Amino acid sequence: MTDFAATRRAFHLPQGIAYLDGNSLGPMPVAARDRVARMMAEEWSEMLIGGWNKAGWYVQPRTVGDRIARLIGAGPEQVVMGDTLSIKVFQAVSAALRLRPGRRVILSDSGNFPSDLYVADGLARAVGAELRVVAPDDVASAITDNLAVLMLTEVDYRTGRRHDMAALTARAHEVGALTVWDLAHSAGALDVDLLGADADFAVGCTYKYLNGGPGAPAFIWIHPRHADAAQPILQGWMGHDAPFAFDLDYRPAAGIERMRVGTPPVIALAALDAALDVWDGVSLSDLRARSVQLTEAFIAGTGAACPDVALNSPRDPALRGSQVSLRHPQAYAVMQALIAAGVIGDFRAPDVLRFGFAPLFNDLDDVERAVETLARVLRDGSWNDEAFHRMSAVT
Ligand SMILES: Cc1ncc(COP(=O)(O)O)c(C=O)c1O
Ligand SMILES: Nc1ccccc1C(=O)C[C@H](N)C(=O)O
């Protein structure tokens, strides 16, 4: 059994708050602060340029990628770190598109995160392809013969709705299309199984449920059947087969290494590597069970105590990720009042209160506190208090 009391103790959680925003930025693992301090004191300062080899900076995008692989149902040497998630989306979709010459349609849904849609749209315009965006429930029926790439975020950042990765991937494969899965709201939150779902490409960030810190690097995974065939569009020198030969011609490195672009963010990778230590000994089925327990308790609690909000997430946990969103016409003001009372979630336009439940550090006390505080804020109308608004406008 995973010891979640121990994983909670691994984080610095400021006194007096219930932090339900780990789905946007995970809290700081105490070991990350120490690791970065040590990296500065022992590596950068003393080794200087020698750190690339002596301290393993050069291979870190892969060694850290191997640690992420276990958390997303991938194998060793299949994941590489670097850049931002938006860049990794571009790399995955562009490589998938090149693997399907003659097909021009990229399909996504309106629940996707805007950056993914913007990036795919920009790419489509540049190469004469078409981005088609349908409602989340219409994705399966929009998978038609001319499809090149199905690009989806598994868990919707607003509603928490979870797509069926295995079923939609199978459907895409039936028509000869490839899949790109964005795991931003899945990695570290669910028992993701990329190989089991037979996905083609996956990308994700590490500053949410993986707790790598603000600006932590993103990851990209390619199924081994495509890894040596996928042609990078961003032909950066660190994805070259022999970067230090400084050839004038680009030749992609073997496998996933080709998805490296330029110099890795070594300090950020040190923090992320320490954050991943917390995952040692965490079983993904325990993680999922705890996530369901927390979200179920929150939905039941708010359902009973907060009649003024409406559930905006699927009621069935099988169709949901690790967050719950609620709707209220004055959601922004309600969230400001909640934050002032020490319950930190976030607001998403136009009327969504969003609460992330990160199994590594959230517990049933957080759920209870959030339910009670929300019920009180809604009951006593403090969110609607003019004095409160004047105060929150300046703080
Ligand atoms: C699903 C999803 N995709 C993409 C992004 C953008 O990632 P980045 O800012 O790291 O490029 C986010 C969050 O910011 C996200 O939630
Ligand atoms: N990277 C950020 C930087 C600043 C503020 C928020 C973010 C988020 O990650 C938002 C998140 N993608 C979301 O699902 O809302």
Side-chain angles (χ1 to χ4, degrees):
M1 275 298 280
T2 305
D3 183 355
F4 287 110
T7 58
R8 180 177 168 95
R9 283 194 302 274
F11 293 93
H12 175 85
L13 291 163
Q15 287 291 310
I17 61 153
Y19 191 62
L20 301 178
D21 220 349
N23 53 330
S24 196
L25 176 69
M28 185 190 71
V30 177
R33 180 181 54 204
D34 303 338
R35 179 76 64 86
V36 170
R38 205 173 73 220
M39 183 269 162
M40 299 290 214
E42 295 173 11
E43 298 179 13
W44 183 12
S45 51
E46 292 300 320
M47 297 178 191
L48 295 164
I49 188 96
W52 287 108
N53 289 320
K54 269 191 257 168
W57 297 344
Y58 190 77
V59 294
Q60 227 174 8
R62 264 275 308 292
T63 54
V64 173
D66 280 348
R67 303 190 73 190
I68 304 253
R70 176 181 87 82
L71 304 176
I72 55 175
E77 304 190 11
Q78 294 177 7
V79 177
V80 78
M81 314 301 302
D83 316 295
T84 66
L85 177 50
S86 303
I87 301 278
K88 280 348 207 186
V89 169
F90 177 86
Q91 285 186 291
V93 178
S94 57
L97 207 51
R98 275 186 82 172
L99 286 171
R100 288 295 175 270
R103 295 188 180 212
R104 311 310 304 159
V105 178
I106 304 165
L107 176 66
S108 193
D109 74 24
S110 53
N112 208 341
F113 193 73
S115 198
D116 295 34
L117 298 176
Y118 303 157
V119 163
D121 179 51
L123 170 67
R125 285 170 194 273
V127 301
E130 179 200 341
L131 172 66
R132 234 174 246 171
V133 180
V134 300
D137 287 342
D138 296 338
V139 168
S141 57
I143 298 176
T144 47
D145 284 348
N146 55 353
L147 187 64
V149 183
L150 176 64
M151 174 192 82
L152 293 173
T153 293
E154 185 187 15
V155 175
D156 186 309
Y157 76 104
R158 257 180 317 201
T159 63
R161 180 211 24 75
R162 180 185 191 176
H163 276 305
D164 185 336
M165 185 189 287
L168 288 173
T169 298
R171 176 82 195 102
H173 288 174
E174 264 169 39
V175 301
L178 296 174
T179 56
V180 174
W181 289 96
D182 182 335
L183 305 178
H185 299 268
S186 314
L190 308 174
D191 45 352
V192 181
D193 185 9
L194 288 171
L195 288 168
D198 202 30
D200 299 293
F201 291 78
V203 293
C205 60
T206 59
Y207 44 72
K208 299 183 193 290
Y209 295 95
L210 296 174
N211 314 300
F219 64 84
I220 183 165
W221 169 84
I222 306 181
H223 192 287
R225 69 173 162 258
H226 302 304
D228 285 321
Q231 291 298 316
I233 306 290
L234 292 176
Q235 301 186 153
W237 73 299
M238 288 210 179
H240 193 283
D241 189 39
F244 291 91
F246 303 106
D247 286 345
L248 292 187
D249 296 322
Y250 179 78
R251 202 172 63 244
I256 194 67
E257 286 277 339
R258 64 186 55 196
M259 289 295 157
R260 292 178 67 159
V261 181
T263 308
V266 174
I267 301 171
L269 280 163
L272 174 59
D273 195 39
L276 292 171
D277 289 348
V278 184
W279 290 93
D280 290 345
V282 173
S283 113
L284 292 191
S285 57
D286 291 349
L287 183 85
R288 175 66 177 153
R290 187 169 169 88
S291 158
V292 170
Q293 179 195 32
L294 295 172
T295 55
E296 284 291 276
F298 183 73
I299 291 173
T302 50
C306 309
D308 299 338
V309 292
L311 180 64
N312 191 41
S313 297
R315 185 62 194 83
D316 177 356
L319 304 178
R320 201 169 67 218
S322 203
Q323 68 166 71
V324 175
S325 74
L326 304 173
R327 298 179 69 188
H328 185 280
Q330 299 297 328
Y332 179 78
V334 171
M335 184 51 75
Q336 291 303 309
L338 272 178
I339 293 170
V343 174
I344 305 189
D346 58 25
F347 162 76
R348 285 293 176 263
D351 58 358
V352 170
L353 297 159
R354 199 174 69 148
F355 301 90
F357 294 90
L360 282 200
F361 61 85
N362 286 132
D363 58 19
L364 286 169
D365 290 343
D366 292 330
V367 172
E368 196 180 318
R369 166 119 183 247
V371 171
E372 276 172 10
T373 310
L374 180 59
R376 179 172 55 70
V377 160
L378 293 171
R379 202 170 47 237
D380 70 15
S382 57
W383 60 271
N384 202 15
D385 179 5
E386 224 189 295
F388 170 76
H389 286 301
R390 276 203 305 278
M391 188 251 315
S392 61
V394 292
T395 50

